[in-house]
Amino acid sequence: MANTFTGLKLQGEIGKFGGVELSDVCAYVRLASGKVLSGTESGRMLLWDGNLIEFEISRKGGGPCHEGNIEVLFLENGEVMSAGHDGFVRTWDIGLIETAEVNEDEPVFELEPLSEARVGEDTPAMIMNMEPALGMDVPAVDVDGNELPRKTTVWFVQDGTGALWRYDSQERTHDLIMQFHAGAVAGVVTSPVDHAAVTAGADGTVRLWDYEAKRPLFREGFSAGATRIVWTPREVDPDHRSVAVGFADGTVRVLARCLDAFKLLAAFKPHTTPVRHLCYSPSGHQLVTASDDGVLFFFETDAAYTPIGYVSLKPLVQAQGAGGMPLDKAAAVTALTWAQDSQRLLAGTACGAILEVTAPEGEPDTSLSYELDLAVASCAVAREAFYRTQEEYLRPPPEPEEVAPAAAPAGEEGEDPGVLPDDLPEEDKARKEEVQLLPAAVKLLSYRADGSGFDVVFGGDQYSSVRFQCGDLEDPDPLGCSHKYPSHVTASAVSRSGELDLRGHADGTVHVRRAGEGLNLPWRGTLHDGVHGEITGVAASFDDGFVISSAKDGNVYVYRVRDIPDKAPAPPPPPAPELARAEDTPAPEGVVDIKDKGTYSIEEAKLKTDQDTREAAALRRKEEMRREMAAIRAQFEALRAENSAKAATDRLGEAELELDRGLREAAARTRDKLLAEAEAELAFDSEKAEKRLAKLKAAYLDRIAVEHIELRLFEAPDLRPPAVRSFRTAHLPDWLETAIAEVHEVIAQEISRASLEGGDDGGAEGDGDGQGADRDGGTGGGGGGGDHGASPARGGAIAVAGEAPEPPVVRSSKNEKVSKNDELKARKAARAREWDAFRQRKPDDKYEDPQDVVAIARAERSMGDYPLKTDPDYVVPEAQRVNAHKKRRQMVLLDESIHAIKTGYNERLLALRDLKRRIVSQARADDARLEQIAAELGEGHESQLPAMAPEEEPETRDRVTAAEVDAYERAVAERERKGKGASGFGGGGGAAAAKKEGAADAAAGDAAAAGR
């Protein structure tokens, strides 16, 4: 196992898919080279080398090997056989796969199958597994005639849609062996007249079986999965040939068994959640259905299954306490049973509540709703009382008293006599009572035959599947326990003879006892899956010779019961009815199946119908009022016209036509009063709608600075786009604006700090220069007289930094003429003094210029080291390192820049839109003037005005005209007319739930009509 593909996964070496889409592997085969070929959910095959994918296998053109998951891979005689959800069985050349060479950039190997065949008839099978048939192999040889291992040609194919096929790989043929349920089986019931059983499954099929002949007879499929099935009692169906089936969409169907098919007798929808229980009263006069919604719905068992009404257990469960569970889940009905008098019934819920409901009598008033006001009583026994009774029942009995042996010497091991529960210290008893009890669903409920109370079995791990005996509902403690089941009871039944008590359990076992024998267990069946095989239904044959069980593992088992001692023979069955073909069997008039899962339930349909009736009545009253007002208005206009045609002396004035001024005022007051009442009735809905709109605006519009605007050209040339669009830009969030301000503040501080550091450096340089000037001044002062060391302006003289050169000074007087020789000597003497001063300023060899010192310090501080980045010892300088703070600052500045660019673009676009608005407005004004001029000239005028499109002004979406309101109301009315739901008794309908808010709309319509 360790060398297989699954073994590697078990050892933790999970396959690395890399660039290949991650997938579950349902099938694999190990090749002779040690590589592994596996399938995928996408239908492609993968070749693995170790835990790495070598390449992917697809068909020519890149198509998958199978459409859907590959479930089967077999290696046989150099060929790989694959099969999957598409129903095809294909064979592939393994030699081509092992020797394939692919491009590393695109590791895909394209390969066509050697052969293929499809399993299935009208629709392909969903192949889940294939197993070779034993003894059906044939000899095989290779191309050279060498003998190969025998080749399997016949395979059994498991179909995920509920079938078993026989497939011949050599002939490429397939035969249907049998069909069965695909998925869990919801229940099983047996015929009271012959060896026939009916099963209902989660796949939506209801199937009839001849379990003695071991063959299926026929089946019927429906749109939703089945959840419950019961055989109709004799009081309802004297022919014993009909069953009632509940489905996951809340629908109940009554089907009649015919010779070749089922016939639909009734279809109604009392619930919107899965139907969990169907119980006929012992008298056969009523049927009650229960669902996950915590509703019990009562029906008369006539041909039409007339609804009586329903009672909801949610308020009572909420009052009693749901034990921390959500109310919707806590109120789900998990057990239901009638009393023998058919006057009351017990209901158990998922949170452990036990309620007794009084059955409805007479004809309750259901004109407004099917909800009934029935008496409902709660069981007074608390969880702690049940748990305490269980502990006492499970406590081991005390050992018989014996002569105590001599005490063992100290230090030697002696036998511990044990401590009985009664001998426990008080603190241990308190600790034992501190167990926190969790809600546990009621699994089994039944009234006792003697009328002394009822029995109950809970689920959950804390109650150990003990059967509790309880008295009246008001008793605070149970009477005791009868016996303990090995695991939770999930299904129960009593044979029609009353001799056998059947129980199905969560561990897949079936127990059969003689009725009333308690712990004696003469028969036990253990064929179902112990983990996934929770029993969903158990039934005995009419002669008590067979027991049939169904479970969530999808299996139905038939057991022949022979080992029950002293079992009384079953009474003879009633005569079997004569069965006709389905097409020859009459059905009740008007029965239509409910095929749409969105069909209204019975209560929803009634509420919707009442709402539609009220709205229609209000519309009729409004129309009548409008017609009456139109007639009065027409009569008044006729009188006004007749008055206008009279002579001026005989004509009445407008004021005189108004007979009673108070009448108008009274009508106005009445109108205002009705409008105020309508506004008061609709105030809650109006404010609710306004707040919803405000929340939507706050969530989606208030944070938008500029919406998506599409500004169109008046006339778009072919070479230009017809419109320009804005950037949909949101306001900067508060946190981002704060971050931007903080970043700019930090940048300003850094700039200020850098400028201060730069000023310090300049001051140092200036100090150096000043120091040089001082030295120069000292040296110059050492020269004679008031002469300054002057730099010669020409003749190769050297200028001293920081000093302005002075022209040579020649001393002369008016009365004395200086000769050229004296002038030349003076110049030479001045140059000599300059050179002497310059040499005196020459620093010694150890002198360092302050400017150089400052520049070197600055370089050492800012330039740093510049080794190659490829150097293994290279370390990024601190100033160049990127940390979270610097990167966040970059991101903040980038967000600011992007927002600024978008905002600038949007501002220009909005300015362009304002310009277009002004152009449109001016064009309309000019067109109005042109139309006026054309009218004066008696000529026609054709307007071709530009207009602003809705996409250009999205902010005007809230401006609604009266015409738009009328169009919307007409559209809503038309949609509701087309989407009206069925009545819940068959036929399609709308998918929306019935609502009561329509009454307010009807009232508003009445008020408006009366006001007019």
Side-chain angles (χ1 to χ4, degrees), residues 655-981:
E656 294 175 313
L657 290 175
E658 188 173 353
L659 298 179
D660 187 357
R661 294 179 179 274
L663 184 62
R664 181 185 297 274
E665 297 175 357
R669 287 196 299 271
T670 303
R671 180 197 60 197
D672 294 341
K673 179 181 177 182
L674 292 175
L675 287 177
E677 291 177 356
E679 290 178 357
E681 290 181 8
L682 298 175
F684 176 79
D685 294 335
S686 176
E687 185 177 356
K688 183 178 179 181
E690 290 177 357
K691 289 188 177 296
R692 283 179 176 177
L693 182 60
K695 288 182 179 180
L696 289 174
K697 286 184 176 180
Y700 296 104
L701 295 181
D702 291 352
R703 62 187 183 89
I704 302 300
V706 178
E707 296 190 48
H708 178 78
I709 300 173
E710 184 177 298
L711 187 60
R712 298 180 179 179
L713 303 180
F714 290 119
E715 293 183 1
D718 295 337
L719 300 180
R720 293 184 182 180
V724 291
R725 297 170 179 83
S726 67
F727 288 107
R728 190 174 187 270
T729 308
H731 292 290
L732 289 178
D734 294 339
W735 67 267
L736 185 56
E737 291 184 349
T738 303
I740 291 174
E742 293 175 352
V743 168
H744 281 293
E745 183 178 356
V746 171
I747 292 175
Q749 293 175 357
E750 291 178 353
I751 294 175
S752 176
R753 191 182 306 113
S755 63
L756 291 176
E757 292 177 355
D760 294 342
D761 294 343
E765 293 174 6
D767 293 341
D769 296 341
Q771 292 174 5
D774 292 341
R775 290 194 303 271
D776 296 342
T779 306
D787 297 339
H788 293 278
S791 299
R794 56 184 182 274
I798 302 175
V800 180
E803 296 185 15
E806 296 182 2
V809 179
V810 180
R811 299 182 183 276
S812 62
S813 69
K814 296 180 180 180
N815 300 323
E816 182 178 1
K817 186 178 181 179
V818 181
S819 65
K820 291 184 178 180
N821 291 334
D822 294 338
E823 183 180 355
L824 182 59
K825 289 179 181 179
R827 290 179 178 177
K828 287 182 179 180
R831 187 178 297 113
R833 288 194 301 273
E834 290 176 3
W835 278 109
D836 289 340
F838 180 73
R839 292 188 184 95
Q840 289 178 6
R841 288 196 299 272
K842 178 181 178 181
D844 57 12
D845 295 337
K846 297 182 179 180
Y847 174 74
E848 293 182 354
D849 189 354
Q851 298 182 29
D852 295 339
V853 173
V854 173
I856 292 172
R858 184 192 304 165
E860 290 178 347
R861 185 172 62 252
S862 60
M863 293 177 64
D865 191 12
Y866 286 93
L868 294 176
K869 293 185 178 179
T870 56
D871 191 341
D873 298 332
Y874 174 76
V875 178
V876 180
E878 181 68 26
Q880 298 180 12
R881 295 178 185 175
V882 178
N883 52 29
H885 177 71
K886 292 181 180 179
K887 185 56 65 179
R888 181 177 181 274
R889 184 165 69 178
Q890 293 177 6
M891 293 172 64
V892 167
L893 295 176
L894 182 61
D895 286 338
E896 182 189 21
S897 300
I898 293 174
H899 186 269
I901 293 172
K902 288 183 177 180
T903 303
Y905 173 83
N906 289 337
E907 288 175 352
R908 294 193 297 273
L909 186 138
L910 292 175
L912 190 60
R913 186 181 68 170
D914 293 338
L915 175 61
K916 183 177 179 179
R917 283 175 174 170
R918 293 194 296 271
I919 293 174
V920 170
S921 177
Q922 185 62 40
R924 289 182 178 276
D926 294 343
D927 183 78
R929 178 56 181 159
L930 288 174
E931 185 176 2
Q932 182 180 2
I933 294 173
E936 293 175 358
L937 296 176
E939 298 180 356
H941 175 70
E942 183 178 355
S943 299
Q944 294 182 352
L945 294 176
M948 300 294 291
E951 295 81 4
E952 296 177 308
E953 299 176 312
E955 65 274 11
T956 62
R957 64 172 64 87
D958 294 334
R959 301 174 189 172
V960 182
T961 63
E964 291 174 338
V965 172
D966 293 339
Y968 173 76
E969 290 179 349
R970 288 194 299 269
V972 170
E974 180 67 17
R975 185 166 59 249
E976 290 183 352
R977 185 185 65 80
K978 292 181 178 180
K980 283 184 179 179

Side-chain angles (χ1 to χ4, degrees), residues 146-211:
N146 300 320
E147 185 176 353
L148 296 174
R150 297 178 67 85
K151 181 179 181 180
T152 301
T153 60
V154 178
W155 302 78
F156 291 116
V157 180
Q158 180 185 356
D159 186 352
T161 60
L164 185 65
W165 301 85
R166 181 183 183 274
Y167 171 67
D168 191 325
S169 60
Q170 189 171 12
E171 300 294 335
R172 306 284 189 267
T173 60
H174 57 273
D175 300 312
L176 179 63
I177 298 176
M178 68 177 301
Q179 288 184 310
F180 41 81
H181 289 285
V185 182
V188 58
V189 290
T190 56
S191 170
V193 297
D194 58 4
H195 291 292
V198 181
T199 58
D203 58 352
T205 61
V206 180
R207 301 173 185 265
L208 181 68
W209 309 80
D210 185 341
Y211 55 83

Side-chain angles (χ1 to χ4, degrees), residues 321-337:
M325 294 179 63
L327 184 59
D328 291 339
K329 294 183 178 180
V333 181
T334 56
L336 192 64
T337 184

